[in-house]
Amino acid sequence: MSSVNLTPTSYLVLGLVAGLGSATPYEMKQMVAASLGYFWSFPHSQLYAESDRLVEAGLLEVDQEEGGRRRKRYSVTADGKRALEAWLSDPAAEGAETRDPGLLKLFFGGLTDPAHVEALALAQIEHHRQHLALYEAIEAAIKDSPDLRFPYLTLRLGITTTRANLEFWEELAANPPR
Amino acid sequence: MSSVNLTPTSYLVLGLVAGLGSATPYEMKQMVAASLGYFWSFPHSQLYAESDRLVEAGLLEVDQEEGGRRRKRYSVTADGKRALEAWLSDPAAEGAETRDPGLLKLFFGGLTDPAHVEALALAQIEHHRQHLALYEAIEAAIKDSPDLRFPYLTLRLGITTTRANLEFWEELAANPPR
DNA sequence: CCTATCATGTAATCCGTTACATGATTAT
DNA sequence: ATAATCATGTAACGGATTACATGATAGG
């Protein structure tokens, strides 16, 4: 218990388990792959590690299956619920990081042939178009599910920023730097 | 030498040193703080560590000052230039990650009082407005520097996505979920 | 029944962060 | 001259990724 400090990943796991009632890391993996994973991805091994950390911190409890595969099924403790609620009710959400290699390449565009920047722009356009198509397909599918209201909003945010990126790169491709 | 694999951070350092001709980690820190750091921040200690890793990889060479503070000044080797050029001329830039705690809180909004989501939206609006004001001030300042053309474009991308975020949260605040 | 693939998990490594530490410089 | 702050660097820790490994299930 205690003195484990909570990262965004911690709350991600806590939130997933809370939303599902109880879950095995594998089930969490599925959930992530179908939703958050589009914006916030990480290897599944982290779900195993993080779940155990949260048990240590007293925020999750584990119930191991007898026989068969002896899966570990996690659920949220009272302390865990409190921690999650405290986090959710705090409007502060600083520390957003955009780690976009395309941004880096653009920043250093002056160090190389401008044609490479143009090629970069075209690749980015293609990339964002595909994502956008995917997101819009998902959007259409979940639009009217009342219990997916917040995932839907999250997706809307993803769509909004993807569109903004797309527009930026399209304009850059239309007016290539030289 | 060798078998060190190159992360985006590696190219960030490589690019900074290439752009400056040669640099101490402290000088890199200054550069980052004034430009990339707005979107891609990390502790300065990493610049020391990463520089040494790149020396080990044979992509940077180090020249230690005699006397005084014995600073380490790094410059790019021929191998380093090749690696940087290879990276820049590859239009692929996959693996962009948006680690935004606000997005997470929104995703899990269904687990708590909707009023908290509204408060989150207001906080996000405030946050993005401030960033936008800052970026626009910088934009005005560097707009016409020909040698800052690519940093300027990078900033434009930052402005574009910040605006998109701002619009999203403003609309959410105007139509709060219930 | 055999093989391929999916499900589930662990171990090792490395990057990134936090914390600390000391040498220079400026202000008072 | 002393304190305060800036400049510069290192050490230790922990979280995240990569790689590996084994048990189940389904298709042929």
Side-chain angles (χ1 to χ4, degrees):
Chain A
M1 165 128 176
S2 78
S3 102
V4 179
N5 74 329
L6 301 177
T7 67
T9 307
S10 309
Y11 291 107
L12 195 157
V13 168
L14 213 45
L16 284 177
V17 177
L20 293 169
S22 80
T24 70
Y26 198 78
E27 289 164 358
M28 301 178 212
K29 176 195 161 183
Q30 317 261 69
M31 268 248 91
V32 170
S35 57
L36 273 172
Y38 293 111
F39 312 110
W40 194 305
S41 85
F42 48 83
H44 71 274
S45 68
Q46 187 154 0
L47 293 170
Y48 294 89
E50 189 63 34
S51 298
D52 284 339
R53 249 179 249 136
L54 290 175
V55 169
E56 228 179 309
L59 306 184
L60 288 184
E61 60 190 355
V62 62
D63 176 43
Q64 187 147 16
E65 270 179 5
E66 302 299 324
R69 214 172 266 223
R70 299 186 58 73
R71 290 189 202 80
K72 291 194 202 167
R73 171 163 298 273
Y74 296 86
S75 47
V76 182
T77 65
D79 272 5
K81 282 183 181 117
R82 266 191 294 278
L84 181 58
E85 173 63 16
W87 179 72
L88 282 170
S89 60
D90 177 4
E94 320 289 304
E97 295 285 338
T98 306
R99 253 98 214 250
D100 179 354
L103 196 110
L104 261 195
K105 289 192 180 183
L106 177 61
F107 183 81
F108 290 122
L111 299 175
T112 190
D113 187 334
H116 292 146
V117 176
E118 218 177 325
L120 172 66
L122 296 177
Q124 291 285 99
I125 288 171
E126 177 61 13
H127 189 248
H128 284 121
R129 278 202 184 132
Q130 283 187 13
H131 278 236
L132 194 53
L134 175 59
Y135 296 163
E136 285 172 341
I138 299 174
E139 185 193 14
I142 71 174
K143 196 189 184 76
D144 299 313
S145 289
D147 44 331
L148 295 180
R149 198 156 72 265
F150 290 96
Y152 169 76
L153 287 171
T154 308
L155 182 60
R156 294 284 316 162
L157 178 51
I159 289 177
T160 303
T161 64
T162 300
R163 281 220 181 93
N165 271 272
L166 185 52
E167 276 162 29
F168 172 85
W169 291 107
E170 281 175 340
E171 201 209 305
L172 188 62
N175 296 71
R178 40 199 149 117
Chain B
M1 165 127 176
S2 78
S3 101
V4 179
N5 75 328
L6 301 178
T7 68
T9 307
S10 310
Y11 290 108
L12 195 158
V13 168
L14 213 46
L16 284 176
V17 177
L20 292 169
S22 79
T24 69
Y26 197 79
E27 290 165 357
M28 300 178 212
K29 177 196 161 184
Q30 316 263 66
M31 270 246 88
V32 170
S35 57
L36 273 172
Y38 292 111
F39 312 110
W40 195 305
S41 85
F42 48 83
H44 71 275
S45 68
Q46 187 156 0
L47 293 169
Y48 294 87
E50 188 63 34
S51 298
D52 284 339
R53 252 179 246 138
L54 290 174
V55 170
E56 228 180 309
L59 306 185
L60 289 184
E61 60 190 354
V62 62
D63 175 43
Q64 187 147 17
E65 271 179 4
E66 303 298 326
R69 216 171 265 224
R70 301 186 57 73
R71 288 190 203 82
K72 292 198 202 163
R73 172 163 296 274
Y74 296 86
S75 47
V76 182
T77 65
D79 272 4
K81 282 186 180 115
R82 266 191 295 278
L84 180 59
E85 174 62 17
W87 179 71
L88 282 170
S89 59
D90 176 6
E94 322 287 305
E97 295 284 339
T98 306
R99 252 104 215 245
D100 180 354
L103 197 111
L104 261 195
K105 288 192 180 183
L106 178 61
F107 184 81
F108 291 122
L111 299 176
T112 190
D113 186 334
H116 292 146
V117 176
E118 217 177 327
L120 172 65
L122 296 177
Q124 291 285 100
I125 289 170
E126 177 61 12
H127 189 247
H128 284 120
R129 277 199 184 136
Q130 283 186 14
H131 277 236
L132 194 53
L134 175 60
Y135 296 164
E136 286 173 341
I138 300 174
E139 184 194 15
I142 71 173
K143 195 188 182 78
D144 299 313
S145 290
D147 45 332
L148 296 180
R149 198 156 71 265
F150 290 96
Y152 169 75
L153 287 171
T154 308
L155 182 60
R156 294 284 316 162
L157 178 51
I159 289 176
T160 303
T161 62
T162 300
R163 281 221 181 92
N165 270 272
L166 185 51
E167 276 162 29
F168 171 84
W169 290 107
E170 282 175 341
E171 200 209 308
L172 187 61
N175 295 71
R178 60 223 125 98

